[in-house]
Amino acid sequence: MKYIYGPFVLLLFCLYSCQPEMKDAAALSQIPTEKELVERPVLSPTPMADSISLRLEMKEHSIEIAMKEEELGQKELSAERLAALRAWWEQLPENVQQQIQRKEVELELVTQLSSTDEAKMQPEQTDPQIEQTGEALEEIIGSSPEMTFRVNTTLLNKTAELASTEGSTSIHILKKVSADLKSFDQEVHLTTASIRQANLQTMQQWWMNLPEDIQLKIQQGELRIDLSAVALDRGIESAELLGEKSHQQALLMGDLLQQIVGFYRQDGKNYPLGRIRTQALIEPYQEEMKLDEKVNTLIRIQLRPANELPAGPI
């Protein structure tokens, strides 16, 4: 299975208007960043309604240890690898060490392996080193922390310029925090029937500003994106015309957002990652909206649990 992501969606700009842009009024700065979230207290045992549990990496404490080809399949760690593990633990701040020992945070061990030799990818070759790394860490830490293991392998074409098998083992500290799903809501303001560069940039920035764990939950189907195209009724156009306009913009913006979220490739075909639910709505314009008079449609982007029943039509 191959993932295909959508940065190339910027090429679609040539399909849309190149007239002067009006900035989307919705402030992306209001969306909590991953850095802000990771500084929050550890997840409460009883999270609030509409909140989601996130596993966020404390990136400043991550480490990557190179793996030599001859280490594959070995059931003992080299002295060099043991020394690197001890040095990593000793340089951690005392409060982080205590969080690990109290199981307030989780250790994730990830082995990355690339090779032209398929035999090197087999579990009997890849698993012993990561398992021994986990056991060594337990001994160094002096307790059994919360720990998960993951092995990622990439089989390279035999014509690839790779002298030998290359690999590494990374250690990540993951902190569990809670966040309100509504804090990631976003609005895009449309001023014409065409989608403008600023509108597309707003959607891209929204996606890039999401914590990586939320992006993964979307792509893996744990969270659903609800995209609503809301035509604003200012008493000028008929309901029929407004409805058709919002319907077309919902479809178009949904397609563009899917390009950003990405696809996966399997059996020679591309399939969308995650689920984007679109709907077209008409709402009367309210003065308290305080929108520019040129804004005729709002694109509302919201995150919801995938198993939550939608409130409106799909």
Side-chain angles (χ1 to χ4, degrees):
M1 182 184 297
K2 181 180 180 181
Y3 283 3
I4 304 172
Y5 301 102
F8 62 86
V9 75
L10 285 170
L11 297 176
L12 295 171
F13 285 169
C14 63
L15 299 177
Y16 306 118
S17 172
C18 294
Q19 298 174 17
E21 306 291 351
M22 188 183 80
K23 295 289 185 180
D24 286 318
L28 282 164
S29 60
Q30 295 176 355
I31 296 177
T33 64
E34 187 160 335
K35 182 178 179 181
E36 292 169 341
L37 288 169
V38 82
E39 293 174 353
R40 292 183 179 181
V42 175
L43 177 65
S44 167
T46 55
M48 298 173 59
D50 296 325
S51 68
I52 185 171
S53 172
L54 300 177
R55 296 162 72 246
L56 303 179
E57 182 183 350
M58 301 169 72
K59 295 181 179 180
E60 66 273 24
H61 302 308
S62 296
I63 183 177
E64 182 176 4
I65 305 173
M67 180 188 298
K68 298 177 181 178
E69 184 175 0
E70 55 267 26
E71 291 181 291
L72 284 172
Q74 297 297 315
K75 296 184 178 180
E76 291 186 5
L77 297 183
S78 66
E80 184 180 0
R81 181 171 288 258
L82 281 170
L85 292 176
R86 289 195 182 94
W88 170 77
W89 174 255
E90 291 170 359
Q91 60 82 35
L92 287 178
E94 184 177 354
N95 66 315
V96 176
Q97 291 181 341
Q98 292 173 348
Q99 286 179 325
I100 293 172
Q101 292 168 330
R102 291 195 296 259
K103 300 185 178 183
E104 294 176 356
V105 296
E106 176 183 311
L107 295 184
E108 181 185 48
L109 276 61
V110 183
T111 289
Q112 301 278 1
L113 191 67
S114 301
S115 179
T116 56
D117 185 355
E118 190 170 0
K120 303 287 187 183
M121 306 295 185
Q122 302 308 309
E124 60 268 21
Q125 292 290 314
T126 60
D127 291 357
Q129 282 292 297
I130 195 169
E131 291 170 355
Q132 290 301 314
T133 299
E135 291 182 13
L137 279 174
E138 289 183 352
E139 186 175 336
I140 293 169
I141 293 170
S143 63
S144 299
E146 292 287 340
M147 200 179 306
T148 59
F149 302 85
R150 183 155 51 91
V151 177
N152 298 330
T153 60
T154 303
L155 181 62
L156 300 176
N157 191 294
K158 291 187 181 298
T159 61
E161 296 180 2
L162 185 68
S164 62
T165 299
E166 295 182 350
S168 65
T169 297
S170 301
I171 305 173
H172 309 290
I173 302 177
L174 305 180
K175 183 176 181 179
K176 296 180 181 179
V177 301
S178 62
D180 186 351
L181 278 180
K182 294 181 180 178
S183 65
F184 300 104
D185 288 357
Q186 178 63 40
E187 274 193 359
V188 181
H189 298 170
L190 305 186
T191 59
T192 69
S194 300
I195 310 302
R196 297 182 177 236
Q197 180 173 338
N199 305 141
L200 193 51
Q201 285 178 329
T202 298
M203 289 202 303
Q204 284 191 306
Q205 290 169 2
W206 171 79
W207 174 257
M208 290 187 294
N209 287 350
L210 292 177
E212 183 179 351
D213 196 33
I214 284 190
Q215 292 180 349
L216 289 174
K217 288 179 185 298
I218 292 170
Q219 292 172 330
Q220 294 170 358
E222 294 181 45
L223 291 175
R224 182 186 74 237
I225 298 178
D226 284 356
L227 185 149
S228 303
V230 184
L232 298 177
D233 185 357
R234 296 178 182 264
I236 301 174
E237 299 174 296
S238 68
E240 181 179 1
L241 183 59
L242 288 171
E244 177 61 24
K245 180 191 300 182
S246 62
H247 175 72
Q248 293 298 325
Q249 290 175 334
L251 293 176
L252 180 56
M253 295 296 275
D255 286 344
L256 292 174
L257 187 54
Q258 186 65 68
Q259 292 285 338
I260 295 170
V261 174
F263 298 82
Y264 68 92
R265 189 167 182 82
Q266 189 172 18
D267 299 328
K269 296 182 179 179
N270 293 339
Y271 299 91
L273 285 166
R275 180 188 172 198
I276 299 176
R277 169 186 172 268
T278 61
Q279 64 175 345
L281 303 172
I282 301 175
E283 291 183 4
Y285 175 75
Q286 306 288 339
E287 289 297 332
E288 52 266 29
M289 291 181 176
K290 297 180 180 179
L291 296 174
D292 188 281
E293 62 181 11
K294 296 179 181 178
V295 176
N296 54 44
T297 305
L298 302 178
I299 302 297
R300 291 178 182 150
I301 304 174
Q302 300 169 305
L303 299 182
R304 296 294 178 263
N307 58 1
E308 180 182 285
L309 292 176
I314 296 177

